[in-house]
Amino acid sequence: MKKGIAALLCASVITLSGCYGSYACFHKLHKWNGTLGNKWLNSIVHFGLNIIPVYGIAFFVDWLVLNTVEFWTGSNPLAAGDSYFEQDDQGNSVAAVKNADGSLTMELTTAAGEKATMTLQRDENVIRALDAEGNLVSMYEIEK
């Protein structure tokens, strides 16, 4: 009886401390599955990762460890290094990478091949845009 109550109390504390997070581990695994090939291969791998239960383990690790760390520190350990890429119909593209310090580095490329690099840094209520050399290009103050 005492062990059951202790387990329930621990589960409650963990659940409350983990709160709602980004579930970065689970989403990275799911995104990786989408890059494997056609919809049939993705579907088969998705089914397999649910049966084995890789998705369940990733979700549990997020819920128990990573989201708790994110709740208490403000950042998820797996979020650093996240990347984004998009290209429009004209051939212009933007590539962005979240850096370990929380800043965001973006590379803009035109269809002609011209490139520009910019870094965004955010403090409590200020966002700064820096050029490739680290010079301040723009600053925006967030109103509270």
Side-chain angles (χ1 to χ4, degrees), residues 24-144:
C25 182
F26 176 81
H27 289 296
K28 281 185 182 229
L29 179 63
H30 189 261
K31 187 176 180 179
W32 167 81
N33 181 26
T35 65
L36 295 178
N38 62 35
K39 65 181 181 181
W40 294 102
L41 179 60
N42 292 346
S43 184
I44 291 168
V45 171
H46 182 76
F47 181 74
L49 292 176
N50 275 300
I51 296 297
I52 294 177
V54 177
Y55 276 128
I57 292 168
F59 188 84
F60 184 74
V61 168
D62 271 328
W63 172 73
L64 183 63
V65 179
L66 300 175
N67 287 350
T68 303
V69 170
E70 183 176 358
F71 176 77
W72 290 106
T73 66
S75 67
N76 191 305
L78 288 184
D82 280 351
S83 61
Y84 171 82
F85 178 82
E86 188 166 324
Q87 187 170 17
D88 65 15
D89 295 336
Q90 292 79 31
N92 303 307
S93 66
V94 60
V97 175
K98 184 176 179 185
N99 303 313
D101 65 357
S103 64
L104 183 71
T105 301
M106 300 182 311
E107 183 174 83
L108 309 165
T109 307
T110 66
E114 300 166 333
K115 293 185 179 187
T117 302
M118 178 183 293
T119 301
L120 298 176
Q121 295 176 335
R122 181 174 180 177
D123 292 331
E124 187 172 322
N125 52 347
V126 175
I127 298 174
R128 291 178 194 80
L130 309 172
D131 64 11
E133 290 79 36
N135 300 317
L136 182 65
V137 174
S138 179
M139 187 169 72
Y140 177 75
E141 190 168 339
I142 302 167
E143 295 180 23
K144 286 190 174 185

